[in-house]
Amino acid sequence: MSTSEPHRHGEITGRKAGVVIASTRAAAGIYQDETGPVIIDWLTEHGFEPFPAMVVPDGEPVGAAIRALLTQRPAVVITSGGTGLNADDLTPEMTLPLLDREIPGIMEGMRQAGRAKTPMAMLSRGYAGAAGSTFIVNLPGSPKGVMDGLTVLDPVIGHLCDQLEGSNGH
């Protein structure tokens, strides 16, 4: 397999996925969101059927968007943005109450991979976990941070979804 080709997971085909972009400025039309298309492309390449990305202001609208997506029972919900230290960076606070179980190794892996490129990766406060059979993960708001996070998810996303759906295959 070429390193430029994404790792494909045939078992993912047909699974729904949601994307929430937390950005007050992008939601207001001040600038164009650059992370949603990256996430949508990655999901599509991996066989998911993504809903259109939801671009919402930081804070409570993020929680409302995730809750709305959960009613559709997607396999995956990926957020981007709102994981830093600014006062309105509340994506982790909106996500955590929705999780039944945390999956800390995912975020440990993402921070470790990001830290290899920038020490600022240590400042990301995101969560990863399960809300029922849906995997939710908080990615940073930068395109590079999103790509780094998706690279970490790449080899495990199929198995992770299988496990949350009740498959015991190892």
Side-chain angles (χ1 to χ4, degrees), residues 34-35 37-39 41-42 45 80 110 113 117 139-154:
E34 296 179 3
T35 59
V38 171
I39 299 167
D41 286 349
W42 183 87
E45 288 171 1
S80 173
M110 286 185 187
K117 297 179 179 182
L139 299 182
S142 71
K144 286 183 181 180
V146 164
M147 289 298 294
D148 290 345
L150 295 174
T151 298
V152 170
L153 289 177
D154 198 58

Side-chain angles (χ1 to χ4, degrees), residues 106-170:
I106 298 287
M107 296 313 296
E108 291 165 9
M110 286 185 187
R111 283 187 273 271
Q112 182 179 8
R115 188 169 174 241
K117 297 179 179 182
T118 174
M120 302 311 160
M122 292 185 293
L123 303 179
S124 182
R125 301 180 311 109
Y127 286 104
S133 63
T134 300
F135 171 63
I136 302 175
V137 63
N138 302 145
L139 299 182
S142 71
K144 286 183 181 180
V146 164
M147 289 298 294
D148 290 345
L150 295 174
T151 298
V152 170
L153 289 177
D154 198 58
V156 300
I157 193 67
H159 185 67
L160 190 155
C161 289
D162 287 344
Q163 291 288 295
L164 288 177
E165 291 172 358
S167 171
N168 291 322
H170 293 285

Side-chain angles (χ1 to χ4, degrees), residues 82-98:
T83 62
L85 298 173
N86 290 325
D88 62 350
D89 285 339
L90 298 175
T91 299
E93 288 78 7
M94 297 297 116
T95 302
L96 186 59
L98 302 175

Side-chain angles (χ1 to χ4, degrees), residues 21-33 55-58 86 88-89 141:
I21 306 303
S23 173
T24 300
R25 292 180 295 161
I30 295 171
Y31 72 85
Q32 185 75 25
D33 164 56
V55 180
V56 299
D58 288 295
N86 290 325
D88 62 350
D89 285 339

